[in-house]
Amino acid sequence: MANGINRRRLLVGGGAGVGLVVAWTLWPRSYAPNLVANPGEALFGAWLKIGTDGHVTVAVPQAEHGQGVYTSLPQIVADELGADWRTVGVEPAPLNALYANPLGTSDLFEGLFAALPVEAPMLTGASSSIRMFEAACREAGAGARALLCMSAAERWDVDWQTTKVDAGFVVHGDKRIRFAELAEAAAGGTLPDPLPMGMQGAGKLAGASVPRIDVPSKVDGSANFAGDVRLADMVHAAIRQGPAGSRLVRVNRAAADRIRGVLSVVENPHWVAAVATTGWAAQQALDALAPRFEGGRPVDSASIDAALTVALDAPGTRMATVGDVDGVFKGARLITAAYRASLGLTAAIETPSAAAAFREGRLELWLSTQAPGLARAAAARALGIAESAVVVHPMLVGGSFGAALEHAVAEQAAVLAQTLKRPVSLVWSRGEASLHDCYRPAAAARMTARLAPNGKILGWRAQIAAPATGAELARRLMPGMATEVAIRAATGDRYAVGGAMPPYGMPALAIDHHSAEIGVPTGHVRSGAHGYTAFFTECFLDELAKLAHSEPMSFRIGMLGGNPRLARCLSTAAALGGWDGGVPGSGQGIAAHAFRGSYIAVLAEAHMGDDRRPVVDRLVAAVDCGAQINPDLVRQQIEGGLVFGMASALGAATGFTRGLADARGFDTLGIPRLADTPDITVEVIRSDEAPGGVGELGVPAVAPAIANALQSATGFRIRNLPLNTKA
């Protein structure tokens, strides 16, 4: 049933608009569903199954890493189906191009592949789940509802369009019959054209805060993650990797062999793993091995800072322009400010983990992954086998914030399973996860503006030095000729300056990227480059407002005539937070950001503690993310994003010494504890606009709002991220 539906809708990007189609016009178009029905279940295409006991199972192609997608996508299907929410469950969708996510791929890489017919993978990222899959889920639910109503109508000899659905029943007058009794016969029916969207009793779950499906198992501990997988004859491995570019030269095998439970030591040019009967024994043996690596890049904090400075002083690549900013600047008095952002960590609760079994030339992987197809391809390459010989079982992900996009742990587990000829569980230690994270790139910015005598911004230029993380990430995740062609065809690295285009109306502006080689692997951390570009933009705007003798919120709203949704967020946050204009001594600051079709304004109250460390007292956020599928999920994601953004403002960063990150664990990350969490208020503005992204939305505006609050509290402007008192 859903083959035609999903093929028709999924490849056009659902609610994303037909503009996305152009980039993928050369894709193959015929993908048969491969969702498997268990005994007692009837298949309704690629998205759902209905059991003879009445249960409804929705296949979810996106990774559940706390954002609630195991609830939101099933809720959309159940809403159109007319199901009883208490009967709805989920399972990970099988690998299939039917579930590809071109919208998420495009947004994650900031349009890197927009001009090429690259086949997008299954991917969770860029706050794209609902934006990409809402239309396909609605059509799947509506199609199944129509078939169930047709089957019931045939039994009752009535017009199927006069039947309705109600909480798992098809109803006609005083007649009622359960979905369970109709499913088997209905699954083989022919879909009507057009589909009856939002009719016959559908629509009762839309906008409702239904209970999350994943919460009960997480509360009682029955939820399984990759590190929980246990297989017959399984062994446990602990791994140590060298600095980037280094090679393993020495291990103390004799010392490791003395650890009780040790079974093997597996060496690789770039890593070594100790294998034992328990994870604890494996870690003890790894420490005893005392592996030594040589070579690599002599990277430290000073060299990273110097590389950014050199890049910023070198010619850049013009990424965006409005008007003639060079003409506006010529001969004028200009205002400049310099900002810096340190390397940021994902710092997910769950470290990279995988279980693997290699039998008779076939590999099975149980994996925490946001891109199962890409992980499968990487594991296949590592073993030199066909992708068809690899089966990936996507697991729940404990956080991630971008870490589960990477698949080094999948490659390592695959190699270990093949070498040992036994199932293996590989879990990175916290220190390993910190030392070998793919960090949010370090960045530097030189912001320049010209003000008119009346305080209006006449010209704006953002020069941003940062690694070409988009190209680096693409090569790592999607290696191949198509990726290389896309990178070579691109003008600069759009990922590196993602979010740098201000949402405000300015007569002349320019965004320049200055590519920096810092010698450290970088990747995607929640909100991507928006995490530092919003900091640069919103802090500089605050500085300009003060030079223009203007109140910061009014200064921003005055430039938002073409963006009323963001203007409303600013005015709402100001009203809720009791905004006093950010006057000296108030300890209040405000910032805003537009992101993935959504809008947010954040008001912060902060002060400097006795130890000269920033203390955040209050955060108030006003959000316009369009129509809401589940308001509780929206609020949870915004609150979580605010805390994540506060962590990025105060810590969650690292320097480097002799090629290794200084941060080794949560105790060295400087992230806020529960006692440090401020009072948080979130107002979600009602809207009938198309749903926008939510998962990353809460992050970017927090750091600049706190920085602006600290400036009003102390009179001192901090231009470094994380915020500290260094000039």
Side-chain angles (χ1 to χ4, degrees):
M1 179 274 293
N3 185 11
I5 291 176
N6 291 313
R7 185 167 64 247
R8 184 169 69 246
R9 293 297 300 187
L10 191 55
L11 294 181
V12 303
V18 296
L20 193 60
V21 181
V22 177
W24 317 95
T25 51
L26 300 185
W27 281 20
R29 283 297 192 263
S30 296
Y31 303 115
N34 58 338
L35 186 63
V36 176
N38 297 313
E41 289 182 330
L43 269 177
F44 288 78
W47 286 91
L48 73 144
K49 304 181 289 188
I50 299 177
T52 54
D53 61 355
H55 75 265
V56 175
T57 300
V58 178
V60 177
Q62 303 294 88
E64 175 58 77
H65 55 95
Q67 82 279 36
V69 74
Y70 269 19
T71 298
S72 59
L73 291 185
Q75 185 173 351
I76 295 167
V77 175
D79 179 56
E80 281 290 340
L81 178 62
D84 183 340
W85 183 247
R86 295 170 298 179
T87 68
V88 177
V90 298
E91 68 179 53
L95 279 173
N96 192 317
L98 273 169
Y99 309 109
N101 188 355
L103 175 63
T105 305
S106 178
D107 281 2
L108 177 67
F109 291 103
E110 299 287 348
L112 174 64
F113 298 106
L116 290 176
V118 178
E119 185 166 345
M122 289 176 64
L123 182 140
T124 305
S127 303
S128 61
S129 296
I130 290 176
R131 294 186 296 139
M132 179 67 223
F133 295 111
E134 180 183 12
C137 286
R138 288 205 178 282
E139 290 191 347
R145 168 169 46 81
L147 294 179
L148 291 166
C149 287
M150 286 177 174
S151 181
E154 185 177 356
R155 292 192 185 195
W156 296 330
D157 193 23
V158 298
D159 181 353
W160 73 272
Q161 297 183 78
T162 65
T163 63
K164 294 184 178 181
V165 290
D166 180 28
F169 287 82
V170 178
V171 180
H172 185 269
D174 59 357
K175 300 187 180 83
R176 295 169 62 86
I177 187 168
R178 298 173 66 225
F179 289 175
E181 298 175 56
L182 299 167
E184 187 174 352
T190 301
L191 283 171
D193 189 12
L195 288 175
M197 305 293 291
M199 299 168 59
Q200 298 173 291
K204 294 180 180 178
L205 295 177
S209 293
V210 299
R212 287 182 62 147
I213 289 177
D214 58 323
V215 164
S217 63
K218 290 177 178 176
V219 171
D220 66 21
S222 61
N224 281 319
F225 296 82
D228 297 322
V229 173
R230 296 292 180 266
L231 304 171
D233 199 35
M234 174 176 270
V235 294
H236 298 264
I239 198 166
R240 183 77 45 83
Q241 302 161 86
S246 68
R247 295 182 66 85
L248 179 68
V249 296
R250 187 181 310 126
V251 295
N252 189 344
R253 283 179 173 262
D257 288 341
R258 289 194 288 270
I259 303 298
R260 185 175 181 179
V262 169
L263 302 171
S264 181
V265 173
V266 178
E267 296 183 41
N268 180 279
H270 305 294
W271 52 263
V272 62
V275 183
T277 54
T278 67
W280 174 255
Q283 189 62 50
Q284 294 296 107
L286 185 65
D287 293 338
L289 282 169
R292 182 180 179 85
F293 298 86
E294 291 185 355
R297 304 162 185 163
V299 180
D300 57 28
S301 297
S303 71
I304 293 171
D305 200 55
L308 293 173
T309 299
V310 168
L312 200 56
D313 290 336
T317 302
R318 183 64 44 95
M319 307 299 295
T321 185
V322 173
D324 179 15
V325 72
D326 295 323
V328 170
F329 282 178
K330 188 175 181 179
R333 177 180 176 272
L334 303 179
I335 301 158
T336 63
Y339 298 87
R340 296 266 167 160
S342 298
L343 292 162
L345 290 88
T346 52
I349 293 294
E350 181 188 25
T351 60
S353 309
F358 187 78
R359 306 181 184 93
E360 300 178 353
R362 295 185 63 81
L363 175 70
E364 280 190 273
L365 278 172
W366 289 260
L367 188 64
S368 301
T369 176
Q370 292 173 245
L374 301 183
R376 178 179 68 173
R381 286 194 301 270
L383 299 189
I385 62 177
E387 289 184 38
S388 59
V390 180
V391 176
V392 173
H393 304 282
M395 306 296 292
L396 292 170
V397 186
S400 171
F401 311 123
L405 285 167
E406 308 292 341
H407 37 241
V409 71
E411 299 169 327
Q412 294 160 353
V415 169
L416 289 170
Q418 184 186 55
T419 302
L420 299 167
K421 297 179 174 56
R422 295 177 67 175
V424 61
S425 174
L426 173 62
V427 179
W428 287 16
S429 67
R430 173 58 54 191
E432 199 68 16
S434 297
L435 286 168
H436 298 282
D437 204 348
C438 292
Y439 308 94
R440 182 198 67 205
R446 182 181 294 130
M447 310 296 290
T448 308
R450 178 185 174 187
L451 291 179
N454 64 358
K456 180 181 178 181
I457 297 177
L458 297 178
W460 170 286
R461 183 172 65 202
Q463 297 168 276
I464 298 173
T469 298
E472 182 182 344
L473 185 64
R475 287 187 172 115
R476 214 164 45 236
L477 299 188
M478 304 170 66
M481 184 57 67
T483 293
E484 290 302 319
V485 170
I487 291 170
R488 291 169 189 167
T491 302
D493 193 290
R494 295 193 176 280
Y495 183 98
V497 295
M501 189 73 171
Y504 307 98
M506 299 177 187
L509 66 83
I511 310 295
D512 297 338
H513 174 222
H514 299 252
S515 185
E517 296 288 340
I518 65 173
V520 175
T522 59
H524 183 75
V525 178
R526 187 179 187 180
S527 83
H530 294 247
Y532 57 78
T533 58
F535 175 71
F536 302 155
T537 297
E538 290 294 307
C539 287
F540 190 48
L541 271 171
D542 233 55
E543 298 200 52
L544 294 178
K546 288 177 171 54
L547 289 171
H549 305 290
S550 178
E551 183 266 308
M553 187 198 71
S554 300
F555 188 70
R556 289 171 168 83
I557 288 181
M559 296 183 286
L560 286 173
N563 196 335
R565 295 175 69 185
L566 188 56
R568 186 177 179 189
C569 288
L570 276 163
S571 60
T572 301
L576 285 173
W579 172 249
D580 64 1
V583 297
S586 69
Q588 288 192 338
I590 202 162
H593 195 61
F595 199 21
R596 316 283 196 221
S598 294
Y599 305 87
I600 187 169
V602 176
L603 183 152
E605 293 181 354
H607 69 278
M608 280 293 181
D610 294 336
D611 57 358
R612 301 302 299 162
R613 292 183 180 180
V615 177
V616 182
D617 303 301
R618 189 181 180 207
L619 292 174
V620 178
V623 174
D624 181 348
C625 60
Q628 303 166 55
I629 302 299
N630 186 313
D632 274 359
L633 292 181
V634 172
R635 190 172 300 278
Q636 290 163 16
Q637 283 303 289
I638 297 301
E639 289 178 353
L642 295 175
V643 174
F644 191 95
M646 189 177 88
S648 299
L650 305 183
T654 186
F656 258 68
T657 304
R658 298 174 61 186
L660 294 174
D662 297 332
R664 305 296 171 87
F666 284 132
D667 59 323
T668 57
L669 284 180
I671 56 179
R673 301 163 297 176
L674 185 61
D676 303 318
T677 304
D679 178 68
I680 294 176
T681 301
V682 175
E683 177 71 14
V684 183
I685 298 169
R686 291 180 60 87
S687 173
D688 294 326
E689 299 289 339
V694 173
E696 300 171 297
L697 179 64
V699 178
V702 179
I706 295 172
N708 294 338
L710 292 172
Q711 197 282 331
S712 71
T714 66
F716 180 75
R717 169 63 63 179
I718 302 175
R719 297 193 179 102
N720 304 286
L721 191 64
L723 303 170
N724 55 58
T725 54
K726 292 191 299 181

